[in-house]
Amino acid sequence: MWNKDFLLGVATAAYQIEGAATADGRLPSIWDTFSATPGKVLHGDTGDVACDHYHRWEQDVDLIASLHVDAYRLSISWPRVMDAEGNPNRKGLAFYKRLLKALRERGLKTFVTLYHWDLPQHLEDAGGWVNRDTALRFADYADLVSRELAGLVDAWATLNEPWCSAYLGYANGHHAPGKQDIVFATQAMHHLLLGHGLAVRKLRANDPGAQVGIVANVGRGTTNGGSAADRRAAELFEIQHNNWVLDPLLKKQYPAALWELWPGAQPMALDGDMDIIGAPLDYLGINYYFRTNVVSDGAHGFTEVPLAGVERTQMGWEVYPQGLYDLLTGFKRNYPQLPPIYITENGTASDDKVVDGAVEDPQRIAFLSRHWTAVDSAVKEGVDIRGYFIWSLMDNFEWAFGYERRFGIVHVDYATQARTPKRSAQLVKRFLADRARRE
């Protein structure tokens, strides 16, 4: 797996690291609004400053390059590059041009995500992703950004984790904009995927030298129940978590079993929508973190039943590398049109502290090693996997959990903005230096 063509990179997202929430014409996003709402984010944290990457980007590019990684995955802040009328914000665009050029100069490949959850608030005020017009506005945004940044991007991703945007944002309210209606969620998902398909056309036209894909978070569902209903519950978990996104993209249809779970929640779709959504992809990004154990709820769904005695991360998520292997090999079997895969996020949160100038993070080191083994096993089973991105480059704003949960291989002191590579970062650097010498 670890040949010169297999990429190892690190990843971040704009709202989680940039800060500078009102600088240079940036407009409010739904996460600015959500995190400023009391009770929505742990400790009342916001992304107003975050890692101050907007002002410290040169230092951070040096940091990335020092790790000897092959690639950097980042996202564009939609409210930083367009005004409410859809006109370009030149100062915001200039920031990304400088950043991408500097990354290229350091020999790093650039993987750029257009939408990592920071919808402009003015679009949410008009209905957000429940409103079909937002998909059209997203295509306009993709058109602008890909024209401006053409030639500076190796691989575009339209969306990051549309499941989270739709379900966490519109069904259970854990994420911005905090709505709680499954009908809103299924309609939002349809418009997210429609926006993806419309954006694919713009990206291919404006930047034909770049790859075009999308990033999906996937979850392994298992059961410790012994009944057929329990086994069906585990299947339904994966259908709503994985197939809800992947079937439209790769089969041009929603899985019928979704409506067992959510009767009456079918989205309104127009003729031709599924052909737009199912536009061919150059790659599929896969984000994986944990598995979920479920049993039947006694009706037509599932109930989560956490397993006892298993290893868990600071997030409370079970460490289960086997789930990544199971999903990757399963996707190869179930999707004849499966494009090449990049693992675009995989990592763990731990309560890391600087002690005598060093940060020891043994759980993360073990987590990464075991998941790399799972990826290698999937490659040996014939799954076409082209690269792996560690989440995350550095500790950052972890959405509804604020700054308490630390995913970075680089520690960030939020009071001073000091960056301290953790032991995991040092080992990644050493591994890649050794690989370069072998080649």
Side-chain angles (χ1 to χ4, degrees):
M1 181 178 82
W2 297 112
N3 59 45
K4 63 181 177 60
D5 296 320
F6 189 92
L7 296 183
L8 180 61
V10 288
T12 64
Y15 188 74
Q16 293 181 269
I17 68 167
E18 284 181 1
T22 60
D24 294 335
R26 181 186 177 276
L27 301 179
S29 78
I30 56 174
W31 271 96
D32 295 295
T33 303
F34 190 76
S35 60
T37 304
K40 296 298 186 182
V41 176
L42 201 62
H43 308 309
D45 292 339
T46 76
D48 288 354
V49 177
C51 305
D52 197 32
H53 173 73
Y54 189 76
H55 298 114
R56 299 169 187 266
W57 66 270
E58 291 173 291
Q59 170 191 344
D60 289 337
V61 169
D62 288 342
L63 174 65
I64 297 165
S66 75
L67 298 174
H68 302 309
V69 293
D70 305 302
Y72 178 49
R73 178 178 173 236
L74 66 146
S75 76
I76 305 294
S77 170
W78 188 348
R80 196 180 291 286
V81 298
M82 290 184 85
D83 68 16
E85 286 71 46
N87 301 309
N89 176 8
R90 291 295 168 194
K91 290 183 178 179
L93 288 164
F95 165 73
Y96 292 109
K97 288 179 182 178
R98 291 192 299 269
L99 174 60
L100 291 167
K101 286 177 181 176
L103 291 164
R104 280 294 185 85
E105 288 168 0
R106 304 302 289 270
L108 288 151
K109 292 189 178 298
T110 51
F111 281 60
V112 175
T113 304
L114 285 171
Y115 185 69
H116 203 128
W117 307 353
D118 45 357
L119 183 71
Q121 181 61 45
H122 66 87
L123 292 177
E124 179 57 38
D125 293 341
W129 288 108
V130 180
N131 181 355
R132 186 181 178 92
D133 186 65
T134 301
L136 307 182
R137 300 289 73 75
F138 180 69
D140 293 341
Y141 160 59
D143 184 33
L144 169 68
V145 171
S146 58
R147 281 188 282 110
E148 293 285 340
L149 302 182
L152 296 175
V153 176
D154 290 288
W156 293 99
T158 53
L159 308 174
N160 178 77
E161 299 185 350
W163 186 93
C164 290
S165 296
Y167 192 83
L168 300 183
Y170 290 92
N172 75 2
H174 183 63
H175 280 186
K179 304 293 176 62
Q180 294 179 308
D181 187 322
I182 191 61
V183 174
F184 285 175
T186 56
Q187 194 64 61
M189 177 66 84
H190 185 72
H191 293 153
L192 281 155
L193 296 178
L194 179 64
H196 152 79
L198 294 170
V200 166
R201 296 176 175 180
K202 303 294 186 181
L203 296 169
R204 292 202 190 285
N206 295 338
D207 198 8
Q211 296 183 79
V212 177
I214 188 172
V215 171
N217 60 302
V218 297
R220 180 73 170 115
T222 62
T223 185
N224 63 343
S227 70
D230 292 330
R231 291 189 291 274
R232 179 58 173 166
E235 292 174 358
L236 287 171
F237 172 85
E238 291 198 3
I239 286 166
Q240 63 83 31
H241 202 92
N242 305 335
N243 301 60
W244 186 18
V245 175
L246 297 181
D247 280 18
L249 293 170
L250 301 176
K251 295 183 176 180
K252 300 185 180 181
Q253 62 187 20
Y254 291 105
L258 268 183
W259 319 126
E260 287 181 43
L261 280 170
W262 306 322
Q266 293 93 327
M268 293 179 59
L270 301 184
D271 289 345
D273 281 2
M274 301 311 291
D275 286 329
I276 294 170
I277 290 169
L281 300 170
D282 296 319
Y283 76 94
L284 174 65
I286 291 293
N287 295 355
Y288 172 81
Y289 290 96
F290 59 97
R291 75 160 161 179
T292 301
N293 189 72
V294 301
V295 296
S296 172
D297 65 0
H300 300 288
F302 55 83
T303 298
E304 183 177 352
V305 181
L307 295 170
V310 299
E311 180 186 358
R312 296 189 180 275
T313 72
Q314 189 190 21
M315 296 291 288
W317 298 342
E318 181 188 355
V319 178
Y320 191 67
Q322 180 67 34
L324 179 56
Y325 169 84
D326 292 343
L327 290 167
L328 291 169
T329 53
F331 295 155
K332 182 177 186 294
R333 289 192 302 272
N334 296 333
Y335 294 108
Q337 305 304 317
L338 186 70
I341 288 173
Y342 289 91
I343 308 302
T344 36
E345 288 184 28
N346 182 234
T348 184
S350 53
D351 185 18
D352 303 318
K353 295 178 175 62
V354 180
V355 178
D356 297 329
V359 183
E360 298 296 333
D361 55 344
Q363 186 185 35
R364 179 174 294 105
I365 293 166
F367 181 101
L368 293 174
S369 176
R370 291 163 61 191
H371 283 81
W372 289 354
T373 298
V375 172
D376 186 58
S377 296
V379 169
K380 289 174 180 174
E381 290 295 321
V383 185
D384 187 358
I385 305 171
R386 305 285 179 89
Y388 175 105
F389 290 79
I390 299 167
W391 185 268
S392 172
L393 166 65
M394 55 187 165
D395 299 334
N396 54 54
F397 178 81
E398 183 45 41
W399 306 111
F401 295 100
Y403 295 102
E404 183 182 275
R405 314 294 167 92
R406 293 180 175 272
F407 273 90
I409 61 171
V410 174
H411 182 277
V412 177
D413 182 325
Y414 297 113
T416 66
Q417 293 297 340
R419 275 77 157 137
T420 304
K422 302 176 188 180
R423 179 68 173 159
S424 55
Q426 295 167 359
L427 291 176
V428 167
K429 179 177 180 177
R430 182 185 304 168
F431 170 78
L432 289 172
D434 289 344
R435 185 184 72 170
R437 281 193 291 270
R438 291 194 302 271
E439 293 169 354

